[in-house]
Amino acid sequence: MILVAVMMPFGMLAIVGLPKLGGLSLLAVNVASAAAVGAGILLLLGRLMRGDRIRLEPSAIAILIFAAYTIFSATVLVRLFSGEIMVFSLSRSAGGVRVSTAFLWGKVWLSPGSSNISQTFYIVLASGLFIVAVNQLSRRGAAFGDQCMAWAAGVNLGLGVLDMAALDPVLALIRTASYSLMNEATVAGIPRVIGGFSESASFGAFSAVLFAYFATLALRTGRRRDAVLALGNGVFACLALSATGLLAVAVVTCILLVQVQVRVPEQTSRGMLLGFAVVLAAGGLGLAAALTMTDAPAMVASVINDLIINKSQSSSGLERSAWMMGGLEALQQSMGPGVGAGSLRSNGLLFVLLGSVGIPGTAAFCAFLILAFGGRAIAGQEDTLAATRLGAVAALVSLMLSATVPDPGVPLIFLAALAVATRRNPATVDAAPMPRMPHLQTRSLVQ
C-alpha cells in the first residue's frame, strides 16, 4: 500500500503505453495498484484453500455492483444504442459534427470502441484496489494508512518544488505518459505549477485532497507534521492556478473554519488563542503591505477573472458546458441505463456517470460512497475518519468540476478504504464469516 500511495503524485509517469486500447497508458500508480490487487487475490486464494472464511464489507458489495454494471454497459449497452445516439467522443482525433463555432469538438454516432475497454479496466482496477486496500489497512491498522498518506503528501511536495525550480530535465524522466504536457501554461503571466502531473487541474485537485486530509488532522491532533504537510500542499493547490483546485481548497477551508469554531471553546487554551491571534495579525499586516506596495491586487484580480468569473464564457468553458449537456442528453435518449462506460466524454462526475452508466450505475456508486464514509470509527480512530471524509469532499468537488470519465481515481478509492479501516479492529478482521455484514457501531480497541 505504501507503494501505491507513493505513486499517486506521479500522475504522468507511465510504465506501459497501449495506444491501441483507447489511448490506455498504464501509469505507475495503475501498475502498483494492479500488483497490489494481484497479491491480494493470491492471499485470498490461499485463505480459501485453508478453509478460512472471508468477510465482505457492504461498501465492497456496492462497488462490485458498480463494476459489474460498468462491464455490462461497456459490452451490451454501447452496442444496443450504437448508431442511434450522438455523443462527444473520448478520442480527440474523432472529427464529428460541430455543434458550436466556439470550439472544434464535434459529436459522433455512438459505436463500440477501445475506450470502452480502457475505462472498464480502470473501474474494475479501482474496485479490486478498494477491496485489497480495505483488507490490508484493516490488518495493519488505520495508522498505517495515515503513514501512506504522509508519504504521498511528502512526494507531492517534492515534485512541486522541482517544478517551481523549473527543473524540467529532471521531471522529464517521470513525465512519460502519452498526454498533452501543459508545463508552459500561464495565467495572467503567472506560470502554473503542475508537479508530477500533466496539467494544473490534476495537480491542484490532488494537492487539495492532501491539504484537506492533513489540515483536519492538524486541527484535531496538533501534530506539527500534519500542519507542515497541510500548509505545503495547500500552497501548491493554489499555485496550480486551476479553478478545480482553488474551488476545492475554498470549500475545504470553509468547512475547516466551521469545525474550528465548534472545537475552539472546548479544546483550545487561552495561550493558544493568543498565539493564533498574533499569527493572524502578522499575516494580515503582511498581506496589507503586499497589496498596497506591489501590483498584487491587479494580478489577483486578473487571475480570478480568468479562472472563475470569465471561465464559463471562454471557449474551454463553453466546450465543457456542451460536454455536460451531452451527458444528460445521453441519459435521456437511453431512457435511464446510460450508453456505456468509455462511450462518451462529458464534464463533471455526476453527468459523466449519468451519461455513461445511467441511473443504476450512479446509484451503485453513491451507495458505495455512503457505505464507505458513513458510520462511526472505533475508539481512537475518529480523527483519521474525519480526515478521510474531508479529503473525500475535496476529491469529489474536484471530480464534479472537471471529471470527463467515470473512473473515480486512486486517491478517492484509497481514502474510502482507509475510512472503512477506521471502523474495523485489526484484532478481529478475520473473526466474522462471509455471510455476516460488519456492524457500524463503535467498538473499542483490544488492549
Side-chain angles (χ1 to χ4, degrees):
M1 286 298 107
I2 288 183
L3 180 61
V4 174
V6 168
M7 290 296 107
M8 282 195 284
F10 294 94
M12 203 176 176
L13 175 57
I15 304 299
V16 179
L18 300 172
K20 293 185 178 180
L21 293 180
L24 176 63
S25 290
L26 291 181
L27 302 178
V29 65
N30 300 138
V31 175
S33 300
V37 172
I41 292 175
L42 292 176
L43 290 174
L44 174 63
L45 292 175
R47 291 173 59 191
L48 290 175
M49 291 178 65
R50 293 194 305 267
D52 294 343
R53 294 182 177 183
I54 310 300
R55 178 166 72 177
L56 274 181
E57 297 284 341
S59 51
I61 297 174
I63 199 171
L64 285 175
I65 294 174
F66 173 62
Y69 190 81
T70 296
I71 296 172
F72 170 76
S73 71
T75 54
V76 177
L77 295 180
V78 64
R79 288 169 172 80
L80 180 64
F81 298 111
S82 178
E84 298 183 5
I85 299 176
M86 296 197 76
V87 297
F88 289 102
S89 172
L90 279 174
S91 174
R92 286 187 175 271
S93 61
V97 179
R98 291 187 64 180
V99 298
S100 174
T101 58
F103 50 87
L104 297 177
W105 211 295
K107 281 190 170 184
V108 300
W109 287 108
L110 177 67
S111 63
S114 54
S115 58
N116 297 115
I117 300 174
S118 61
Q119 291 305 312
T120 301
F121 168 80
Y122 286 132
I123 292 174
V124 171
L125 178 62
S127 303
L129 176 64
F130 173 75
I131 295 173
V132 171
V134 167
N135 182 65
Q136 292 297 317
L137 295 177
S138 298
R139 284 172 175 272
R140 304 188 65 171
F144 173 70
D146 181 69
Q147 181 184 0
C148 292
M149 291 295 294
W151 274 100
V155 172
N156 193 60
L157 288 178
L159 293 174
V161 171
L162 290 177
D163 191 42
M164 281 192 66
L167 296 177
D168 290 338
V170 177
L171 292 172
L173 299 175
I174 64 171
R175 291 171 175 171
T176 56
S178 57
Y179 302 152
S180 297
L181 181 60
M182 306 293 290
N183 60 332
E184 301 295 335
T186 61
V187 176
I190 305 173
R192 288 174 161 178
V193 181
I194 64 174
F197 291 82
S198 60
E199 43 88 29
S200 60
S202 300
F203 178 68
F206 183 62
S207 299
V209 170
L210 295 173
F211 163 70
Y213 181 88
F214 286 102
T216 302
L217 289 180
L219 289 176
R220 297 175 71 97
T221 67
R223 290 185 303 202
R224 184 176 302 175
R225 181 210 69 174
D226 298 331
V228 171
L229 293 177
L231 178 61
N233 283 281
V235 168
F236 276 126
C238 296
L239 291 179
L241 297 180
S242 165
T244 302
L246 290 174
L247 289 175
V249 168
V251 171
V252 167
T253 301
C254 291
I255 296 175
L256 287 172
L257 289 176
V258 173
Q259 292 180 352
V260 168
Q261 185 177 5
V262 172
R263 293 177 63 85
V264 160
E266 300 178 357
Q267 302 184 7
T268 307
S269 64
R270 292 184 179 180
M272 186 177 294
L273 285 175
L274 180 60
F276 179 76
V278 171
V279 172
L280 187 62
L285 290 175
L287 179 61
L291 293 176
T292 56
M293 301 175 63
T294 68
D295 293 332
M299 294 175 62
V300 172
S302 178
V303 170
I304 294 176
N305 284 331
D306 290 344
L307 293 181
I308 300 177
I309 297 177
N310 297 327
K311 178 69 173 181
S312 61
Q313 302 303 318
S314 65
S315 60
S316 174
L318 294 173
E319 185 178 58
R320 286 185 172 271
S321 297
W323 295 349
M324 179 185 70
M325 295 306 300
L328 289 179
E329 290 170 0
L331 173 68
Q332 180 184 15
Q333 294 177 31
S334 68
M335 295 187 294
V339 297
S343 297
L344 59 79
R345 180 184 294 266
S346 188
N347 185 69
L349 182 62
L350 178 61
F351 301 100
V352 171
L353 289 172
L354 289 173
S356 301
V357 294
I359 295 175
T362 304
F365 184 75
C366 291
F368 159 69
L369 292 178
I370 294 172
L371 292 171
F373 293 101
R376 302 172 62 183
I378 61 176
Q381 302 298 334
E382 297 88 353
D383 296 340
T384 302
L385 179 59
T388 61
R389 286 172 174 170
L390 194 56
V393 168
L396 289 171
V397 168
S398 301
L399 290 171
M400 291 296 180
L401 292 172
S402 62
T404 57
V405 293
D407 176 20
V410 174
L412 180 60
I413 292 297
F414 192 91
L415 287 172
L418 182 53
V420 173
T422 63
R423 303 197 299 270
R424 299 182 67 181
N425 191 325
T428 60
V429 168
D430 299 323
M434 184 185 300
R436 295 179 58 188
M437 293 296 105
H439 298 290
L440 298 182
Q441 74 265 20
T442 304
R443 290 171 288 184
S444 61
L445 286 170
V446 176
Q447 299 297 329

